[in-house]
Amino acid sequence: MMQKPRIKDVAARAGVGVSTVSVVLNNVEGARVSPETRERILSAARALGYTSNPIARSLRTRRTQTIGFVGDDIATTPFAGRMIQGAQDAAWQAGYLLFLVNTGGEHALERHAVRALLDRRVDGVIYATMYHRHVEIPEMLGDVSTVVLDACPTNGSVPYVVPDERGGAAAAVGELLRAGHRRIGFATESLEVPAASGRLAGYHETLAAARIPADPELVVAEHGDTTGGYRAATRLFDLGERPTAIFCYNDRMAMGCYRAAAERGLRIPYDLSVVGYDDQDLIAPELSPALTTVALPHYEMGTWAVRRLLELIRDDPEQSAQGHLMPCPLVRRDSVGPPPR
Amino acid sequence: MMQKPRIKDVAARAGVGVSTVSVVLNNVEGARVSPETRERILSAARALGYTSNPIARSLRTRRTQTIGFVGDDIATTPFAGRMIQGAQDAAWQAGYLLFLVNTGGEHALERHAVRALLDRRVDGVIYATMYHRHVEIPEMLGDVSTVVLDACPTNGSVPYVVPDERGGAAAAVGELLRAGHRRIGFATESLEVPAASGRLAGYHETLAAARIPADPELVVAEHGDTTGGYRAATRLFDLGERPTAIFCYNDRMAMGCYRAAAERGLRIPYDLSVVGYDDQDLIAPELSPALTTVALPHYEMGTWAVRRLLELIRDDPEQSAQGHLMPCPLVRRDSVGPPPR
DNA sequence: CTGAAAGCGCTAACAC
DNA sequence: GTGTTAGCGCTTTCAG
């Protein structure tokens, strides 16, 4: 392995000064270089297999073409990977590389991580959480362009992107409405998280828009897992007049709902329609019948975040904060049918 | 936000030369600095909030304290996150940061990615695939310390780590043997992948060690998904003398196996024992009864890979290649019982 | 239009 | 023991 060529080598080979090489290779705007000199330089560079050393460049320009991605937990959720990939792809496309650091949600580690990233002179950072919630971002981030991914910052004023839970819920309920349902239950998550309140709001709004009076009985809260879904569905089934369709807070609850329905001999989608949320790989398509659900736009949020970040980096640093709602598309499968007569 | 202090500022404040500061801050070995000078420097640095600029340092030392992680697909499998996290954690612990790049398996992109990482002067790279297989690593990687993660390199001679499929299968079958089973089916994956052959070998060896004659009928190959598992189980049930236990190539197949068993009225673990492989979050613990299975050591492989890489980086660059088999632990749950009488 | 030279912030010889 | 200095490879004035 021979030594990497330096700019000086290219200059020597082309018989010009290093600055001219620099100008040519960087396509500097207002620089006039004779076409033939330019060509000579270009071919010299090519012949040598020259690529500039980003480290040296960074030292001079104070920009590293890197961005830091700090996340609280990249491992446990399958969603995390998609966000990271979205971010990575967008960064790569723009010629940036991503530093990934995982904090496990520990505050101390997080501070350390941000510090390490700033030391490394990243041009910006993506601060991500692995599910939609409120977060306080480290104040050190005030020193660098930042965008928050899948969370609402409670301090500072930085752009952020979260799923449009409300719109997703509206799409889900709308689908049920279109199928003819009028009595639609909502099996919600009992935790107070933005996703839950957003989805509940979407549920209510959509029903109201269809002039269907709200029936508090139809909204039941349980844990957001299979068991919770089972419980919620059971409670709904035990109502005087049971709903003909259930919108579940997530696919795991929908799974529990399926089980409860099976036990009662309720066939989906004939006797009961159900729609979930999250579009989880190993659940939604695998259930039988396959579950109609709403997908979380993790990949898209990841790309949005770094695109926005790059804008911040390149344009004036003082932009007004803004939250972006990323649409959650409905994924139609086989768990919705007309209500039984 | 005021300008970051430079080493010169620290030197000035402490009333010493920059080299002394450098020596003190880097804890250089054979350097004798008077304790009081050292203390003065340290407190000056603290007072200024000085942290050295890694970019400048790298330019000089030719080491960047970064490692590149190229993976073919970080998003679609939940396992990927664990490997990345393992790698990230180990790197972080050692003071290294991880550049993450995703190639989507595209060869051209991969070359680009490696090139970009080398340009950035990473100290080493982890070349990872998202499931155990054979790969040809880009030859450019010959120029830098490399370790291969979750794959066997077919060219070059670099360290690599893969799951001990054979040992995992042996553990699974051993568990069944201990429960008293003698007629154990293996629902395998029909694709020729290292995981499949490794697990098959483990199955055979363990049976042989227990002096149980091999019965070719008991090994059935199907697609490695739910449907495949269903088919395989069905074929096994239709045998003259049906097995009392089934070892499935993976949890998805085990899921299909559960369904097939349910349809026949076979209760797990009373009429049939089953063990899976992979320990997938949304499957193994959620099935009822919860599935006894074998876990894939992704996190551990990730940490192993970067630890090994760091050895390569710090020690003599020419080490003999070697593959490491990471043990796959058995995860006991409720799907194994004694054979029916 | 092109080249010389001054740093970017740091480390490591090498003087003192 | 401690300070001076020469680069690391590149960009960017500023002369020519």
Side-chain angles (χ1 to χ4, degrees):
Chain A
M1 153 197 189
M2 70 183 176
Q3 196 55 46
K4 280 216 167 208
R6 296 156 305 149
I7 194 174
K8 193 200 287 181
D9 301 322
V10 178
R13 192 177 224 266
V16 300
V18 302
S19 58
T20 313
V21 176
S22 175
V23 161
V24 168
L25 261 30
N26 292 316
N27 273 315
V28 175
E29 280 304 308
R32 283 90 36 109
V33 177
S34 75
E36 65 178 48
T37 309
R38 167 183 305 275
E39 192 41 56
R40 218 153 13 104
I41 290 173
L42 257 19
S43 71
R46 218 173 306 125
L48 260 29
Y50 173 79
T51 56
S52 83
N53 180 332
I55 310 273
R57 185 213 301 285
S58 297
L59 186 56
R60 198 64 241 253
T61 62
R62 278 127 188 305
R63 311 172 98 273
T64 53
Q65 304 276 107
T66 60
I67 92 180
F69 186 110
V70 297
D72 55 357
D73 189 358
I74 68 178
T76 42
T77 116
F79 301 139
R82 296 222 206 94
M83 288 204 310
I84 296 175
Q85 180 152 349
Q88 205 281 313
D89 288 355
W92 174 261
Q93 257 182 34
Y96 281 70
L97 245 36
L98 213 65
F99 271 130
L100 183 72
V101 333
N102 185 251
T103 64
E106 288 171 52
H107 235 66
L109 185 49
E110 187 174 281
R111 286 177 51 83
H112 253 116
V114 171
R115 146 86 64 188
L117 255 12
L118 293 185
D119 277 352
R120 291 291 216 299
R121 302 298 194 278
V122 293
D123 293 336
V125 358
I126 300 286
Y127 184 86
T129 64
M130 292 317 161
Y131 70 95
H132 181 181
R133 60 166 173 257
H134 294 286
V135 294
E136 181 169 354
I137 64 178
E139 57 176 319
M140 259 179 301
L141 286 179
D143 293 354
V144 67
S145 300
T146 302
V147 0
V148 172
L149 175 51
D150 204 17
C152 290
T154 56
N155 62 328
S157 61
V158 302
Y160 65 93
V161 54
V162 294
D164 182 7
E165 316 278 6
R166 201 178 185 117
V173 175
E175 178 76 356
L176 259 9
L177 251 20
R178 266 191 306 279
H181 296 272
R182 287 297 172 269
R183 193 156 170 76
I184 301 174
F186 181 33
T188 189
E189 152 75 82
S190 47
L191 257 40
E192 284 205 8
V193 290
S197 54
R199 291 171 200 180
L200 182 60
Y203 165 82
H204 278 139
E205 282 171 15
T206 311
L207 254 26
R211 309 211 169 289
I212 295 178
D215 181 346
E217 273 191 341
L218 288 176
V219 176
V220 303
E222 292 286 351
H223 280 308
D225 56 16
T226 315
T227 313
Y230 178 86
R231 287 223 184 89
T234 302
R235 284 171 56 190
L236 253 11
F237 293 156
D238 285 341
L239 252 33
E241 184 189 356
R242 71 168 175 76
T244 61
I246 301 182
F247 170 40
C248 295
Y249 172 75
N250 65 22
D251 292 351
R252 310 230 303 288
M253 291 186 81
M255 204 169 159
C257 179
Y258 268 50
R259 202 162 71 222
E263 286 184 7
R264 301 267 175 142
L266 260 25
R267 294 159 312 150
I268 300 170
Y270 312 107
D271 305 316
L272 177 75
S273 288
V274 3
V275 4
Y277 212 114
D278 288 359
D279 192 26
Q280 286 210 25
D281 277 346
L282 294 168
I283 301 183
E286 297 285 354
L287 253 21
S288 61
L291 180 68
T292 289
T293 188
V294 178
L296 249 12
H298 283 106
Y299 184 90
E300 292 75 11
M301 294 197 298
T303 59
W304 188 92
V306 346
R307 296 225 175 92
R308 187 77 185 79
L309 181 60
L310 293 178
E311 283 174 23
L312 280 186
I313 291 173
R314 309 206 244 240
D315 298 346
D316 48 340
E318 300 308 330
Q319 295 252 2
S320 63
Q322 53 176 282
H324 183 77
L325 293 180
M326 189 64 72
C328 297
L330 181 73
V331 180
R332 288 196 179 82
R333 281 194 271 252
D334 313 315
S335 59
V336 173
R341 290 182 297 149
Chain B
M1 156 196 187
M2 67 182 178
Q3 196 55 48
K4 280 217 167 207
R6 296 156 304 148
I7 195 172
K8 194 201 286 182
D9 302 322
V10 177
R13 191 176 223 266
V16 299
V18 300
S19 60
T20 312
V21 175
S22 175
V23 161
V24 168
L25 261 30
N26 293 315
N27 272 315
V28 176
E29 281 302 309
R32 282 93 32 114
V33 177
S34 75
E36 65 179 47
T37 309
R38 167 182 305 274
E39 192 42 56
R40 218 155 10 107
I41 291 174
L42 257 19
S43 70
R46 218 174 306 125
L48 261 29
Y50 172 79
T51 55
S52 82
N53 180 332
I55 310 272
R57 186 215 300 285
S58 296
L59 186 56
R60 198 62 240 255
T61 62
R62 281 130 184 304
R63 309 169 101 275
T64 53
Q65 303 277 106
T66 61
I67 92 180
F69 186 111
V70 296
D72 55 357
D73 188 358
I74 68 178
T76 42
T77 116
F79 301 139
R82 298 222 208 95
M83 288 205 310
I84 296 174
Q85 181 152 347
Q88 205 281 313
D89 288 356
W92 174 263
Q93 257 182 34
Y96 281 69
L97 246 35
L98 213 65
F99 272 129
L100 183 72
V101 334
N102 185 252
T103 64
E106 287 171 53
H107 235 65
L109 185 49
E110 187 173 281
R111 286 177 51 84
H112 254 117
V114 170
R115 146 86 65 187
L117 291 172
L118 293 185
D119 277 352
R120 292 288 215 303
R121 301 300 194 277
V122 293
D123 293 335
V125 358
I126 300 286
Y127 184 86
T129 64
M130 292 317 162
Y131 70 95
H132 182 181
R133 60 168 174 256
H134 294 287
V135 294
E136 182 169 354
I137 64 177
E139 57 177 320
M140 259 179 302
L141 286 179
D143 292 354
V144 67
S145 300
T146 302
V147 358
V148 172
L149 176 50
D150 203 17
C152 289
T154 57
N155 62 328
S157 61
V158 302
Y160 65 92
V161 53
V162 294
D164 181 7
E165 316 278 6
R166 199 174 184 124
V173 175
E175 178 76 355
L176 259 8
L177 250 19
R178 265 190 306 280
H181 296 272
R182 287 296 171 270
R183 194 156 170 77
I184 301 173
F186 181 32
T188 189
E189 152 74 84
S190 47
L191 258 39
E192 285 205 8
V193 291
S197 54
R199 291 172 200 179
L200 181 59
Y203 165 83
H204 277 138
E205 282 171 13
T206 311
L207 253 27
R211 310 211 169 288
I212 296 179
D215 181 347
E217 274 190 341
L218 287 175
V219 176
V220 303
E222 292 286 350
H223 281 309
D225 56 15
T226 314
T227 313
Y230 178 87
R231 287 222 184 90
T234 302
R235 285 171 55 192
L236 253 11
F237 293 156
D238 286 340
L239 252 31
E241 184 190 356
R242 72 168 174 76
T244 60
I246 301 182
F247 170 40
C248 295
Y249 172 75
N250 65 22
D251 291 352
R252 311 231 303 288
M253 290 187 81
M255 205 169 159
C257 179
Y258 268 50
R259 202 161 72 221
E263 287 185 6
R264 302 267 174 141
L266 260 25
R267 295 158 310 152
I268 300 171
Y270 312 106
D271 304 316
L272 178 76
S273 289
V274 3
V275 4
Y277 212 114
D278 288 359
D279 192 26
Q280 286 208 27
D281 277 346
L282 294 168
I283 301 182
E286 297 285 353
L287 253 20
S288 59
L291 180 68
T292 289
T293 187
V294 177
L296 249 13
H298 283 106
Y299 184 90
E300 292 75 12
M301 293 197 298
T303 58
W304 188 93
V306 346
R307 295 225 175 92
R308 187 76 186 79
L309 181 61
L310 293 178
E311 285 175 22
L312 280 186
I313 291 172
R314 308 208 244 239
D315 298 346
D316 47 340
E318 300 308 330
Q319 295 253 2
S320 63
Q322 53 176 284
H324 183 76
L325 293 179
M326 189 64 73
C328 298
L330 181 73
V331 180
R332 287 196 179 82
R333 281 194 271 251
D334 313 315
S335 60
V336 174
R341 290 181 297 147

